[in-house]
Amino acid sequence: MSETKKTPETLRSFRWYGTENMRGFAHRQRFLQMGFRRQDFVGRPVIGIINTWSEMSTCHYHLRERADEVRRGVWKAGGFPVELPALSLGEVMVKPTTMFYRNMLAMETEELLRSHPLDGAILMGGCDKTTPALLMGAFTMDMPCIFVPAGPMLNGKWRDETIGVGTHTKKYWDELRAGTITGDDWRELEASMTRSNGTCCTMGTASTMTSIVEALGFSIPGAASIPAVDSAHPRMATDAGERIVEMVWEDLKPSKIATSDAFHNAIVTYAALGGSTNATVHLIAMARRIGADVSLDQMDKIAREVPVLTNLMPSGKYLMEDFHYAGGLNALLGRVSDMLRLDALTITGKTMGENIEGAKVYNDDVILPRDKPLNDRPTVAVLHGNICPDGAIIKPSAASPELLQHTGPAVVFDDYNDLYARIDDDDLDVDENSVLVLLNAGPIGGPGMAEWGDQQIPKKLLAKGVRDMLRISDARMSGTRDGTVILHIAPESAIGGPLSSVRTGDMIEFDFANRSLNVLVDEAELERRRAQWVAPEPLYKRGYGVVFAEHVNQANKGVDFDFLAAPGGVIEPDIN
Ligand code: FES
């Protein structure tokens, strides 16, 4: 065990349990009420297990039992574990979108850690937004913490085909609408895709974010790819329980780990993974909570240099189980080690370089060699232009190469309901060269910046064999999806950003090589349209929706709340 910096008397929890006054009496009394003895918790690190388990969060269905395996490690190391349930954000079930609630979970995490007598935390999550939310809250509190990822589900299997959640949902939905599969096939698929507990089996947002958090230094090395139902998963959870107690004694706080170097490593990892576009907003939001330096342009720069080395859906053909057996994240990081800041400290107390030393790739078709990347296109490109002065993003590695340089007429939808109502209308004036433009789907317009960005291809074009078109919006897109889809346009249309001035028939010019996106309309006409713009009526008149709309930042600032998005400022509660 490394050098001890904390003593029993300097533990944060000692303020609650170590005082011989009336409050101390009451605090101890309530643990004694549960059958514990004084010596079980007084002067020992109290570890909060922040658990996002719920039956509405199906990816986390095993986390209730996994918390017991964390507990086992905490007890063994001499700590005292307490489990605290937190908001569960099941990506598929929660409407309008889990992104609407990411900041709420971040705030809840911060307040759970702040208000309770805790010295350290195990953060249990994995389904898309839970990972950044838990880390954002813990970063603000700057309390020693380890993230325990839920782990991916097993590979999907349909007949003799390996299928990925989300990626094949969309693919076969299009085939059903095109009439190339039957309703019976579709129902069979429904029962074949999700074969176990765990997060989506593609390199979607969940595995992108759990990998990024591991690369930031906040998980047991190798944890992110362990399948949820593998027996290695509970062993990893026990390791985390044991290690967090040591971290408390060592006073190893997030501010010592989540440095700008660590975020550099996280972005390199994102780029090499061919990860989800959602990572851009989450990385910025997490970094801003702890004062690290991360911007969209920095991601573009790194992604130009780091090749996509994972052959995983939606960019490639394999799934997370395959990635794990191929060596997992450590093996991938080994392949880009010259691009990493290897001295960055991690929760193990060792550096990133020490953690990945000796990592091997066991399947070169899943984790690709440096000289044979997946394709010559980056994970992410950041665009600027008269539609997106504060940025927009695209995932070129999962786009159609022939659409990366494209000029076509806009077909504008005023909002998601308008899109849903008209996209399959036979009279819609659209062809494969058109550019689908969705308005009012950003952080405030959605509200919540839902994953509507990959607007579905009109049915009449599907029937002609069209499977991709250039689509643009201020929305997000599921990390499991592919296509030539430009997202996160900032400032968004619902606050009068330039996207709101685009009209059906305007020519849209996308030039990937020059990272530009423009509407080819002269400035005087755009100015005239801007003067006519009328702000949409806010959807929410009361409750959380009002707080969200009044305080949410734009995509280039991470979609955090303005009153949460800075480091520090936490006030410790008065105990006496
Ligand atoms: Fe939970 Fe995809 S729905 S990770």
Side-chain angles (χ1 to χ4, degrees), residues 17 21 36 40-41 86 106 123-124 139 189 194 197 321 335 346 360 382 419 443 453 464 472 502 510 533 550:
Y17 299 121
N21 58 12
F36 293 108
D40 291 333
F41 57 93
L123 311 170
M124 302 188 75
F139 283 1
L189 275 160
T194 44
N197 306 335
E321 235 190 302
R335 285 255 151 113
T346 73
K360 285 195 176 62
V382 177
L419 169 78
K464 282 172 59 183
I472 75 172
V502 175
F510 167 43
W533 179 76
E550 283 179 1

Side-chain angles (χ1 to χ4, degrees), residues 59 91-92 126-128 199-200 206:
C59 302
E91 185 65 24
V92 176
C127 192
D128 295 21
T199 51
C200 290

Side-chain angles (χ1 to χ4, degrees), residues 34 79 100 116 140 179-181 202 239 267 274 281 286 304 316 325 368 426 444 463 512 514 530 549 560 570:
M34 293 194 291
F100 190 57
H116 289 101
T140 299
T180 59
I181 65 166
T202 50
D239 283 345
I267 299 170
V281 286
M286 290 192 297
R304 285 176 194 250
Y325 304 133
L368 304 162
D426 281 341
I444 291 172
F512 160 64
N514 286 307
R530 274 196 290 277
D560 201 356
V570 172

Side-chain angles (χ1 to χ4, degrees), residues 479-492:
T480 63
R481 303 286 164 75
D482 56 7
T484 314
V485 185
I486 294 172
L487 303 154
H488 303 193
I489 287 177
E492 64 173 300

